[in-house]
Amino acid sequence: METKLEKIVSLAKRRGFVFPGSEIYGGLAGTWDYGPLGAELAHNIKDLWWNHFVRAHKDMYGLASSVLMPEKVWEASGHLEGFSDPLGEGQRFNLMFKTEIGAVQQEKNAAYLRPEIAQGMFVNFKNVLDTMRPALPFGIAQIGKAFRNEIAPRDFLFRVREFDLMEFEYFVREAEWEKYFEFWRKEMWAWIEEVGIDKNKTHELEVPEGDRAHYSKRTIDFEFEYPFGKKELYGLAYRGDYDLKRHMEHSGVDLRYADLASGGKFIPHVIEPTFGLGRTILAVLLSAYAEDELGGEKRVLLKLNPKVAPVKVAVFPLVSNKENLVAKAKEIYKNLRVAGGWKLGAAIAFDDIGNIGKRYRRQDEIGTPWCATIDYQTLEDNTVTIRDRDTGKQIRHPVEGLDKYFEGMLG
Ligand code: GAP
């Protein structure tokens, strides 16, 4: 019998969510490529995250920093020394991907693909201070790729060598770190619920001192019950003033915050919530995947939050061999794509292949929340049937205002 993970991996491949990386050459371990539906899902999740954590907070500043960073950054951050896994025989193996910049292979040109995106936020701390003049507390957020030469990549999207992170550094006064640690802890739970991860399968773990990253004074891991065990989904760390202090020492640049109230200068402390995108997608798929029976037929469905579903509405003519029905369905499809604007946009599908039952099944399997069917009654009263993915319930709605209806449903 196929396990739930095997079912999801096969659905993801078959329906264009996730393909093994470089597959026609036999694949590259630890890499996965997002297909047409997976890329939409990933974009929707990143948008939702950016809205939730950046745009909704007036004290949060966005950033998009470089993947390539010089050796000095990783000396200062401690990754050159401390970011390693044990091999046998007492050796340690650094997880960073090293590369050389320029034609001449000299050590001074060494650079690394960033193993975490956090350092981009720290090295730009002064730039953000100087350009935006924020008052404490404030945050710097970004979404981007990180690379780790994992010794044993495994479990689909769970442990890979190249992945997207969504993360921010929230700079606070030392005396206030606990208050903001709690604030972001609650916001992380709100996000888990919003994106569609099963809260009952998510648990906090207070990471004991010996197991914490080299920079952290307190860490909570948000663990998820994956089919292969309860493992880390997200992290919330109190990094103290470790990073800014180290970068100040190593770069010689003053990274202190000038406090207008007291006239003093000090290094802010940092709270860091971090979210792996691949693990989010895996947890979302595991939470949304369901098998049930509807109208006496077995089906597979993804109960995705409509906001992240790659297709929001599928438009069907009831039958494909009646020209007037097909023409009307195509007209409604076209209008919906245009009128739906950025909220719906390209996320409208058209399908007239096979019978209507099969088309519903195909949409259920990719998590499309609504199907709009154009039938004979449409030609009489200009209404369509809207079918709900989860309940299978159908309502009739006028063609007029259909876009507003779906926009309202999307919230
Ligand atoms: N700046 C802090 C930081 O990078 P981390 O716990 O090393 O912390 C952050 O990584 C998040 O990245 C994790 O919570 C997890 O979601 C994700 N992650 C870490 N390693 C990963 C890997 N090899 N494959 C996929 N996701 C990974």
Side-chain angles (χ1 to χ4, degrees), residues 116 148 150 158 160 165 167 232-233 272 274 276 279:
E116 65 164 6
R148 295 182 191 177
E150 297 283 359
F158 178 78
V160 295
L165 277 172
E167 187 173 279
E232 184 186 339
L233 170 66
E272 179 197 66
T274 183
R279 289 189 193 179

Side-chain angles (χ1 to χ4, degrees), residues 217-382:
K217 293 188 177 171
R218 185 183 177 195
T219 298
I220 288 177
D221 278 354
F222 287 73
E223 294 192 319
F224 184 76
E225 291 173 35
Y226 302 96
F228 42 85
K230 199 163 75 165
K231 297 202 160 124
E232 184 186 339
L233 170 66
Y234 299 146
L236 171 64
Y238 170 42
R239 294 179 79 124
D241 60 358
Y242 174 84
D243 301 272
L244 287 180
K245 208 172 176 177
R246 294 272 296 196
H247 282 302
M248 195 161 144
E249 284 162 15
H250 283 249
S251 68
V253 175
D254 188 356
L255 298 178
R256 287 173 303 166
Y257 171 81
D259 190 25
L260 286 180
S262 66
K265 280 186 165 190
F266 59 90
I267 299 176
H269 282 232
V270 171
I271 310 291
E272 179 197 66
T274 183
F275 310 72
L277 177 68
R279 289 189 193 179
T280 305
I281 290 176
L282 181 54
V284 162
L285 290 176
L286 285 162
S287 303
Y289 184 91
E291 293 171 7
D292 69 5
E293 226 178 88
L294 192 68
E297 262 191 74
K298 278 195 174 19
R299 65 168 182 163
V300 167
L301 70 159
L302 290 182
K303 292 183 175 179
L304 295 175
N305 171 350
K307 284 188 180 145
V308 303
V311 177
K312 313 290 187 213
V313 185
V315 179
F316 307 149
L318 180 67
V319 288
S320 55
N321 58 359
K322 289 277 180 272
E323 243 176 65
N324 48 356
L325 278 188
V326 175
K328 183 71 182 169
K330 282 195 171 154
E331 179 195 314
I332 291 170
Y333 163 69
K334 200 174 126 212
N335 288 342
L336 215 45
R337 271 183 77 98
V338 178
W342 64 270
K343 266 196 184 166
L344 297 172
I348 315 287
F350 181 87
D351 191 0
D352 62 357
I353 297 164
N355 68 41
I356 193 95
K358 283 206 177 115
R359 288 184 237 154
Y360 282 147
R361 296 295 97 82
R362 277 203 290 274
Q363 295 300 328
D364 290 341
E365 203 185 36
I366 60 167
T368 305
W370 304 290
C371 295
T373 301
I374 284 70
D375 54 20
Y376 296 106
Q377 195 182 325
T378 312
L379 302 178
E380 285 165 22
D381 66 4
N382 216 30

Side-chain angles (χ1 to χ4, degrees), residues 70-81 242 246 250:
E71 191 150 56
K72 284 188 165 153
V73 169
W74 308 111
E75 259 167 36
S77 71
H79 283 79
L80 215 51
E81 202 183 325
Y242 174 84
R246 294 272 296 196
H250 283 249

Side-chain angles (χ1 to χ4, degrees), residues 104-264:
V104 187
Q105 292 201 357
Q106 290 170 334
E107 199 53 29
K108 69 181 163 76
N109 290 328
Y112 293 81
L113 305 187
R114 59 185 179 194
E116 65 164 6
I117 63 173
Q119 297 309 320
M121 265 88 87
F122 296 124
V123 302
N124 281 290
F125 175 74
K126 190 175 180 326
N127 284 332
V128 174
L129 268 189
D130 292 349
T131 51
M132 311 310 289
R133 311 226 160 261
L136 280 185
F138 71 91
I140 308 180
Q142 70 171 325
I143 297 177
K145 292 269 190 203
F147 301 82
R148 295 182 191 177
N149 200 355
E150 297 283 359
I151 296 170
R154 63 175 171 274
D155 299 325
F156 193 34
L157 303 173
F158 178 78
R159 190 175 301 288
V160 295
R161 291 188 167 127
E162 173 181 340
F163 54 97
D164 279 285
L165 277 172
M166 309 181 286
E167 187 173 279
F168 57 90
E169 310 302 324
Y170 197 71
F171 300 95
V172 300
R173 289 179 166 78
E174 183 178 4
E176 292 186 320
W177 79 264
E178 274 152 317
K179 175 173 137 192
Y180 290 107
F181 194 91
E182 285 309 316
F183 176 83
W184 291 117
R185 180 189 200 167
K186 287 201 187 82
E187 280 298 312
M188 289 178 83
W189 278 111
W191 161 258
I192 286 166
E193 187 155 21
E194 183 176 13
V195 75
I197 292 172
D198 189 344
K199 274 178 111 167
N200 299 322
K201 293 198 164 159
T202 314
H203 313 274
E204 288 187 10
L205 171 83
E206 185 77 45
V207 181
E209 192 177 343
D211 295 345
R212 288 198 294 263
H214 57 275
Y215 49 72
S216 180
K217 293 188 177 171
R218 185 183 177 195
T219 298
I220 288 177
D221 278 354
F222 287 73
E223 294 192 319
F224 184 76
E225 291 173 35
Y226 302 96
F228 42 85
K230 199 163 75 165
K231 297 202 160 124
E232 184 186 339
L233 170 66
Y234 299 146
L236 171 64
Y238 170 42
R239 294 179 79 124
D241 60 358
Y242 174 84
D243 301 272
L244 287 180
K245 208 172 176 177
R246 294 272 296 196
H247 282 302
M248 195 161 144
E249 284 162 15
H250 283 249
S251 68
V253 175
D254 188 356
L255 298 178
R256 287 173 303 166
Y257 171 81
D259 190 25
L260 286 180
S262 66

